[in-house]
Amino acid sequence: MNSVLPSEAPTASLAAQPAATPSFRPLYQQIRDLILRSLQQGEWKPAEVIPSEMELAARFGVSQGTVRKAIDELAAGHLLVRRQGRGTFVATHAEQQVQYRFLRLMPDIDQADAEQPAQREIVECKRARATADVARALALKTGESIIQARRVLSFGGIPTIVEDLWLPGEPFRGLTAHRLSAYPGSLYAFFESEFGVRMVRADEKIRAVLPDVQQAALLQIPVSTPLLSVERIAFTYGNRPIELRKGLYRTDSRHYHNRLS
């Protein structure tokens, strides 16, 4: 006999609970969380196909419709990707159509290099100790080991973005400037393939700032040039903060673009 979730015995028992009950959670959300747990534990790797809806329904003892709704939510969150006639796959930053979805800087006019990867220069990559601000952002203790990196991204040979990154030390053991420079894909694809760390969402703060002397030199601009400051905290599974990134963007020929729906 198929096993069922403890809270489903049968589904009608869930429906009988008052909607205001704090512990009440729709069945599809419980299934979503079970699938998410399997993703987090690495049962299915990025770019791998997951079991069919029928197989998952049998595994969890629920209807295919419940599984479908759970998968729909995970797909909407870019954790899974449906492919017509092929199945449902674990999303990966290595795919061309998603690997730059966190980079929102677009050219003001159509350019041939608009979809081309940026040219990257790693200025530094070193071990450090987390300051209070960095520790707070990454849910670490002050003084814990972190990796601090700085890089410059150029488009068409023009330095356009300078980024400072802070990463928890433990998940990124062995990260070096050479490895960062040698990887041909996006940074998040690199984290995914080399360290098994997948970024699933990010929170950003945006403001206008002026660069300091070193930042201005890296971007080859006067210190009086206004820049767009984008501070991001990226999260992996389990809502765990895994990267703090502060980027300064030139906007003299590009703009920050975001599509809301």
Side-chain angles (χ1 to χ4, degrees):
M1 182 173 66
N2 290 333
S3 60
V4 297
L5 294 171
S7 56
E8 179 205 35
T11 307
S13 65
L14 283 177
Q17 295 186 37
T21 301
S23 60
F24 173 77
R25 296 178 67 246
L27 183 57
Y28 80 91
Q29 290 184 0
Q30 298 177 48
I31 300 302
R32 177 202 61 196
D33 291 348
L34 290 175
I35 296 173
L36 183 58
R37 185 186 306 165
S38 291
L39 291 170
Q40 185 174 352
Q41 293 173 346
E43 181 176 349
W44 312 303
K45 299 293 190 290
E48 286 185 356
V49 65
I50 70 170
S52 68
E53 291 177 1
M54 182 180 297
E55 291 171 319
L56 290 173
R59 170 174 171 170
F60 298 128
V62 298
S63 70
Q64 283 184 243
T66 297
V67 171
R68 185 175 303 115
K69 193 169 182 180
I71 290 177
D72 284 344
E73 279 212 355
L74 293 170
H78 305 287
L79 299 181
L80 297 175
V81 178
R82 292 186 182 277
R83 295 199 175 102
Q84 187 66 35
R86 296 178 57 193
T88 301
F89 293 75
V90 181
T92 171
H93 288 283
E95 293 182 5
Q96 183 65 35
Q97 64 267 34
V98 299
Q99 63 177 222
Y100 296 105
R101 74 181 178 93
F102 289 110
L103 181 58
R104 304 289 187 176
L105 201 65
M106 303 296 292
D108 289 337
I109 58 175
D110 291 337
Q111 296 177 5
D113 68 342
E115 296 299 324
Q116 297 299 313
Q119 301 89 51
R120 298 163 297 175
E121 176 193 356
I122 306 302
V123 178
E124 69 173 1
C125 181
K126 63 183 182 181
R127 287 269 167 179
R129 295 291 174 182
T131 63
D133 288 344
V134 171
R136 188 180 307 111
L138 296 178
L140 301 173
K141 294 179 180 178
T142 300
E144 278 196 61
S145 175
I146 60 168
I147 292 176
Q148 183 175 343
R150 168 171 281 189
R151 66 176 188 166
V152 175
L153 305 182
S154 300
F155 295 89
I158 300 174
T160 306
I161 305 171
V162 58
E163 289 185 324
D164 290 296
L165 300 93
W166 294 265
L167 306 164
E170 184 61 31
F172 294 98
R173 284 182 175 274
L175 178 60
T176 63
H178 174 73
R179 292 182 70 182
L180 278 173
S181 300
Y183 189 80
S186 73
L187 194 60
Y188 287 172
F190 173 66
F191 292 161
E192 182 181 287
S193 64
E194 300 296 314
F195 297 94
V197 176
R198 173 166 167 73
M199 307 300 188
V200 298
R201 71 174 186 87
D203 291 339
E204 290 186 337
K205 296 178 182 178
I206 302 176
R207 57 171 58 93
V209 300
L210 294 175
D212 61 27
V213 173
Q214 186 177 20
Q215 292 163 341
L218 290 171
L219 291 174
Q220 300 175 14
I221 55 173
V223 292
S224 58
T225 305
L227 300 174
L228 191 65
S229 168
V230 181
E231 180 177 324
R232 175 191 303 167
I233 299 178
F235 297 81
T236 187
Y237 296 118
N239 210 34
R240 177 187 176 190
I242 203 73
E243 177 205 50
L244 171 63
R245 183 186 303 208
K246 296 182 179 181
L248 293 182
Y249 293 53
R250 286 180 58 172
T251 58
D252 46 346
S253 63
R254 290 175 177 259
H255 61 273
Y256 193 88
H257 175 83
N258 196 11
R259 179 175 288 112
L260 303 177
S261 59

mmCIF file of all heavy atoms in Angstrom, residues 168-195:
data_model
loop_
_atom_site.group_PDB
_atom_site.id
_atom_site.type_symbol
_atom_site.label_atom_id
_atom_site.label_comp_id
_atom_site.label_asym_id
_atom_site.label_seq_id
_atom_site.Cartn_x
_atom_site.Cartn_y
_atom_site.Cartn_z
ATOM 1 N N PRO A 168 30.885 32.620 2.348
ATOM 2 C CA PRO A 168 31.320 31.842 3.524
ATOM 3 C C PRO A 168 32.459 30.910 3.136
ATOM 4 O O PRO A 168 32.446 30.307 2.062
ATOM 5 C CB PRO A 168 30.056 31.086 3.936
ATOM 6 C CG PRO A 168 29.179 31.096 2.730
ATOM 7 C CD PRO A 168 29.486 32.341 1.972
ATOM 8 N N GLY A 169 33.435 30.802 4.004
ATOM 9 C CA GLY A 169 34.636 30.053 3.656
ATOM 10 C C GLY A 169 34.437 28.560 3.473
ATOM 11 O O GLY A 169 35.000 27.949 2.555
ATOM 12 N N GLU A 170 33.636 27.941 4.323
ATOM 13 C CA GLU A 170 33.526 26.486 4.326
ATOM 14 C C GLU A 170 33.007 25.908 3.008
ATOM 15 O O GLU A 170 33.612 24.981 2.465
ATOM 16 C CB GLU A 170 32.651 26.028 5.501
ATOM 17 C CG GLU A 170 32.556 24.517 5.666
ATOM 18 C CD GLU A 170 33.900 23.848 5.926
ATOM 19 O OE1 GLU A 170 34.770 24.497 6.535
ATOM 20 O OE2 GLU A 170 34.078 22.691 5.502
ATOM 21 N N PRO A 171 31.889 26.405 2.454
ATOM 22 C CA PRO A 171 31.381 25.799 1.215
ATOM 23 C C PRO A 171 32.277 26.036 0.004
ATOM 24 O O PRO A 171 32.145 25.343 -1.007
ATOM 25 C CB PRO A 171 30.017 26.480 1.016
ATOM 26 C CG PRO A 171 29.681 27.100 2.320
ATOM 27 C CD PRO A 171 30.990 27.448 2.952
ATOM 28 N N PHE A 172 33.193 27.023 0.105
ATOM 29 C CA PHE A 172 33.997 27.392 -1.060
ATOM 30 C C PHE A 172 35.487 27.143 -0.839
ATOM 31 O O PHE A 172 36.341 27.899 -1.306
ATOM 32 C CB PHE A 172 33.743 28.862 -1.421
ATOM 33 C CG PHE A 172 32.339 29.120 -1.893
ATOM 34 C CD1 PHE A 172 31.380 29.615 -1.013
ATOM 35 C CD2 PHE A 172 31.971 28.856 -3.201
ATOM 36 C CE1 PHE A 172 30.082 29.847 -1.438
ATOM 37 C CE2 PHE A 172 30.672 29.084 -3.626
ATOM 38 C CZ PHE A 172 29.722 29.573 -2.742
ATOM 39 N N ARG A 173 35.785 26.070 -0.150
ATOM 40 C CA ARG A 173 37.189 25.678 0.044
ATOM 41 C C ARG A 173 37.852 25.443 -1.311
ATOM 42 O O ARG A 173 37.285 24.796 -2.181
ATOM 43 C CB ARG A 173 37.283 24.401 0.877
ATOM 44 C CG ARG A 173 37.030 24.597 2.363
ATOM 45 C CD ARG A 173 37.192 23.280 3.118
ATOM 46 N NE ARG A 173 37.073 23.462 4.551
ATOM 47 C CZ ARG A 173 38.074 23.803 5.349
ATOM 48 N NH1 ARG A 173 39.282 23.993 4.849
ATOM 49 N NH2 ARG A 173 37.880 23.949 6.653
ATOM 50 N N GLY A 174 39.023 25.972 -1.486
ATOM 51 C CA GLY A 174 39.750 25.774 -2.737
ATOM 52 C C GLY A 174 39.477 26.819 -3.791
ATOM 53 O O GLY A 174 40.034 26.751 -4.900
ATOM 54 N N LEU A 175 38.630 27.798 -3.492
ATOM 55 C CA LEU A 175 38.356 28.851 -4.463
ATOM 56 C C LEU A 175 39.559 29.782 -4.554
ATOM 57 O O LEU A 175 40.052 30.294 -3.553
ATOM 58 C CB LEU A 175 37.113 29.640 -4.045
ATOM 59 C CG LEU A 175 36.719 30.818 -4.943
ATOM 60 C CD1 LEU A 175 36.437 30.350 -6.360
ATOM 61 C CD2 LEU A 175 35.509 31.541 -4.368
ATOM 62 N N THR A 176 40.028 30.002 -5.775
ATOM 63 C CA THR A 176 41.187 30.868 -6.005
ATOM 64 C C THR A 176 40.897 31.818 -7.157
ATOM 65 O O THR A 176 39.967 31.607 -7.940
ATOM 66 C CB THR A 176 42.442 30.047 -6.356
ATOM 67 O OG1 THR A 176 42.210 29.348 -7.596
ATOM 68 C CG2 THR A 176 42.777 29.043 -5.252
ATOM 69 N N ALA A 177 41.733 32.842 -7.280
ATOM 70 C CA ALA A 177 41.597 33.782 -8.390
ATOM 71 C C ALA A 177 41.782 33.069 -9.718
ATOM 72 O O ALA A 177 41.094 33.364 -10.702
ATOM 73 C CB ALA A 177 42.612 34.918 -8.238
ATOM 74 N N HIS A 178 42.703 32.111 -9.759
ATOM 75 C CA HIS A 178 42.939 31.367 -11.004
ATOM 76 C C HIS A 178 41.701 30.588 -11.417
ATOM 77 O O HIS A 178 41.318 30.602 -12.596
ATOM 78 C CB HIS A 178 44.114 30.410 -10.826
ATOM 79 C CG HIS A 178 44.326 29.514 -12.011
ATOM 80 N ND1 HIS A 178 44.854 29.968 -13.206
ATOM 81 C CD2 HIS A 178 44.056 28.190 -12.195
ATOM 82 C CE1 HIS A 178 44.902 28.964 -14.075
ATOM 83 N NE2 HIS A 178 44.421 27.882 -13.480
ATOM 84 N N ARG A 179 41.061 29.921 -10.478
ATOM 85 C CA ARG A 179 39.863 29.155 -10.808
ATOM 86 C C ARG A 179 38.728 30.070 -11.248
ATOM 87 O O ARG A 179 37.963 29.741 -12.161
ATOM 88 C CB ARG A 179 39.429 28.298 -9.619
ATOM 89 C CG ARG A 179 40.394 27.170 -9.286
ATOM 90 C CD ARG A 179 39.900 26.318 -8.130
ATOM 91 N NE ARG A 179 38.727 25.524 -8.520
ATOM 92 C CZ ARG A 179 38.080 24.727 -7.668
ATOM 93 N NH1 ARG A 179 38.478 24.628 -6.411
ATOM 94 N NH2 ARG A 179 37.035 24.031 -8.083
ATOM 95 N N LEU A 180 38.604 31.217 -10.610
ATOM 96 C CA LEU A 180 37.591 32.170 -11.022
ATOM 97 C C LEU A 180 37.834 32.655 -12.448
ATOM 98 O O LEU A 180 36.901 32.782 -13.243
ATOM 99 C CB LEU A 180 37.582 33.375 -10.074
ATOM 100 C CG LEU A 180 36.827 33.242 -8.749
ATOM 101 C CD1 LEU A 180 37.081 34.472 -7.891
ATOM 102 C CD2 LEU A 180 35.340 33.050 -8.974
ATOM 103 N N SER A 181 39.080 32.925 -12.766
ATOM 104 C CA SER A 181 39.423 33.439 -14.091
ATOM 105 C C SER A 181 39.263 32.384 -15.173
ATOM 106 O O SER A 181 38.878 32.691 -16.305
ATOM 107 C CB SER A 181 40.865 33.965 -14.107
ATOM 108 O OG SER A 181 41.048 35.005 -13.181
ATOM 109 N N ALA A 182 39.556 31.124 -14.832
ATOM 110 C CA ALA A 182 39.591 30.065 -15.839
ATOM 111 C C ALA A 182 38.218 29.571 -16.244
ATOM 112 O O ALA A 182 38.044 29.054 -17.361
ATOM 113 C CB ALA A 182 40.437 28.891 -15.326
ATOM 114 N N TYR A 183 37.216 29.727 -15.364
ATOM 115 C CA TYR A 183 35.896 29.177 -15.688
ATOM 116 C C TYR A 183 35.229 30.031 -16.761
ATOM 117 O O TYR A 183 35.143 31.256 -16.632
ATOM 118 C CB TYR A 183 35.016 29.130 -14.438
ATOM 119 C CG TYR A 183 33.718 28.382 -14.663
ATOM 120 C CD1 TYR A 183 33.689 26.991 -14.645
ATOM 121 C CD2 TYR A 183 32.535 29.068 -14.934
ATOM 122 C CE1 TYR A 183 32.504 26.300 -14.862
ATOM 123 C CE2 TYR A 183 31.348 28.387 -15.158
ATOM 124 C CZ TYR A 183 31.344 27.000 -15.123
ATOM 125 O OH TYR A 183 30.175 26.318 -15.363
ATOM 126 N N PRO A 184 34.721 29.404 -17.837
ATOM 127 C CA PRO A 184 34.199 30.187 -18.964
ATOM 128 C C PRO A 184 32.781 30.713 -18.794
ATOM 129 O O PRO A 184 32.366 31.622 -19.505
ATOM 130 C CB PRO A 184 34.253 29.186 -20.131
ATOM 131 C CG PRO A 184 34.087 27.837 -19.465
ATOM 132 C CD PRO A 184 34.786 27.958 -18.135
ATOM 133 N N GLY A 185 32.001 30.142 -17.879
ATOM 134 C CA GLY A 185 30.601 30.520 -17.739
ATOM 135 C C GLY A 185 30.370 31.581 -16.684
ATOM 136 O O GLY A 185 31.300 32.257 -16.224
ATOM 137 N N SER A 186 29.108 31.721 -16.288
ATOM 138 C CA SER A 186 28.745 32.715 -15.281
ATOM 139 C C SER A 186 29.241 32.292 -13.905
ATOM 140 O O SER A 186 29.552 31.117 -13.657
ATOM 141 C CB SER A 186 27.225 32.899 -15.241
ATOM 142 O OG SER A 186 26.602 31.779 -14.632
ATOM 143 N N LEU A 187 29.303 33.254 -12.998
ATOM 144 C CA LEU A 187 29.787 32.973 -11.651
ATOM 145 C C LEU A 187 28.891 31.967 -10.938
ATOM 146 O O LEU A 187 29.373 31.065 -10.252
ATOM 147 C CB LEU A 187 29.855 34.275 -10.852
ATOM 148 C CG LEU A 187 30.645 34.242 -9.547
ATOM 149 C CD1 LEU A 187 32.099 33.871 -9.803
ATOM 150 C CD2 LEU A 187 30.560 35.594 -8.857
ATOM 151 N N TYR A 188 27.572 32.095 -11.109
ATOM 152 C CA TYR A 188 26.674 31.180 -10.421
ATOM 153 C C TYR A 188 26.742 29.777 -11.026
ATOM 154 O O TYR A 188 26.559 28.784 -10.317
ATOM 155 C CB TYR A 188 25.247 31.720 -10.443
ATOM 156 C CG TYR A 188 25.038 32.897 -9.514
ATOM 157 C CD1 TYR A 188 23.850 33.623 -9.525
ATOM 158 C CD2 TYR A 188 26.024 33.278 -8.608
ATOM 159 C CE1 TYR A 188 23.653 34.697 -8.664
ATOM 160 C CE2 TYR A 188 25.842 34.350 -7.754
ATOM 161 C CZ TYR A 188 24.661 35.058 -7.783
ATOM 162 O OH TYR A 188 24.475 36.120 -6.923
ATOM 163 N N ALA A 189 26.995 29.674 -12.320
ATOM 164 C CA ALA A 189 27.215 28.357 -12.915
ATOM 165 C C ALA A 189 28.501 27.739 -12.364
ATOM 166 O O ALA A 189 28.583 26.524 -12.139
ATOM 167 C CB ALA A 189 27.295 28.473 -14.440
ATOM 168 N N PHE A 190 29.509 28.563 -12.127
ATOM 169 C CA PHE A 190 30.771 28.112 -11.534
ATOM 170 C C PHE A 190 30.548 27.587 -10.121
ATOM 171 O O PHE A 190 31.018 26.497 -9.762
ATOM 172 C CB PHE A 190 31.758 29.276 -11.529
ATOM 173 C CG PHE A 190 33.039 29.009 -10.790
ATOM 174 C CD1 PHE A 190 33.943 28.056 -11.238
ATOM 175 C CD2 PHE A 190 33.352 29.724 -9.649
ATOM 176 C CE1 PHE A 190 35.131 27.816 -10.557
ATOM 177 C CE2 PHE A 190 34.539 29.503 -8.964
ATOM 178 C CZ PHE A 190 35.431 28.548 -9.419
ATOM 179 N N PHE A 191 29.818 28.333 -9.307
ATOM 180 C CA PHE A 191 29.536 27.884 -7.945
ATOM 181 C C PHE A 191 28.775 26.550 -7.966
ATOM 182 O O PHE A 191 29.014 25.675 -7.135
ATOM 183 C CB PHE A 191 28.692 28.923 -7.204
ATOM 184 C CG PHE A 191 29.413 30.204 -6.912
ATOM 185 C CD1 PHE A 191 28.700 31.361 -6.606
ATOM 186 C CD2 PHE A 191 30.795 30.274 -6.921
ATOM 187 C CE1 PHE A 191 29.348 32.548 -6.318
ATOM 188 C CE2 PHE A 191 31.460 31.461 -6.643
ATOM 189 C CZ PHE A 191 30.728 32.604 -6.342
ATOM 190 N N GLU A 192 27.865 26.429 -8.906
ATOM 191 C CA GLU A 192 27.027 25.232 -9.006
ATOM 192 C C GLU A 192 27.838 24.009 -9.417
ATOM 193 O O GLU A 192 27.732 22.942 -8.811
ATOM 194 C CB GLU A 192 25.920 25.499 -10.021
ATOM 195 C CG GLU A 192 24.929 24.371 -10.224
ATOM 196 C CD GLU A 192 23.896 24.765 -11.266
ATOM 197 O OE1 GLU A 192 23.018 25.592 -10.969
ATOM 198 O OE2 GLU A 192 23.992 24.238 -12.398
ATOM 199 N N SER A 193 28.656 24.157 -10.460
ATOM 200 C CA SER A 193 29.368 23.006 -11.016
ATOM 201 C C SER A 193 30.599 22.617 -10.200
ATOM 202 O O SER A 193 30.918 21.438 -10.077
ATOM 203 C CB SER A 193 29.780 23.285 -12.470
ATOM 204 O OG SER A 193 30.716 24.358 -12.523
ATOM 205 N N GLU A 194 31.285 23.606 -9.628
ATOM 206 C CA GLU A 194 32.543 23.330 -8.941
ATOM 207 C C GLU A 194 32.389 23.118 -7.439
ATOM 208 O O GLU A 194 33.197 22.434 -6.818
ATOM 209 C CB GLU A 194 33.530 24.475 -9.193
ATOM 210 C CG GLU A 194 33.874 24.696 -10.656
ATOM 211 C CD GLU A 194 34.588 23.506 -11.262
ATOM 212 O OE1 GLU A 194 35.520 22.998 -10.613
ATOM 213 O OE2 GLU A 194 34.214 23.090 -12.382
ATOM 214 N N PHE A 195 31.357 23.694 -6.848
ATOM 215 C CA PHE A 195 31.216 23.627 -5.393
ATOM 216 C C PHE A 195 29.866 23.075 -4.948
ATOM 217 O O PHE A 195 29.623 22.955 -3.750
ATOM 218 C CB PHE A 195 31.440 25.020 -4.779
ATOM 219 C CG PHE A 195 32.826 25.551 -4.999
ATOM 220 C CD1 PHE A 195 33.098 26.383 -6.078
ATOM 221 C CD2 PHE A 195 33.867 25.190 -4.168
ATOM 222 C CE1 PHE A 195 34.374 26.865 -6.308
ATOM 223 C CE2 PHE A 195 35.152 25.666 -4.377
ATOM 224 C CZ PHE A 195 35.411 26.506 -5.456
#
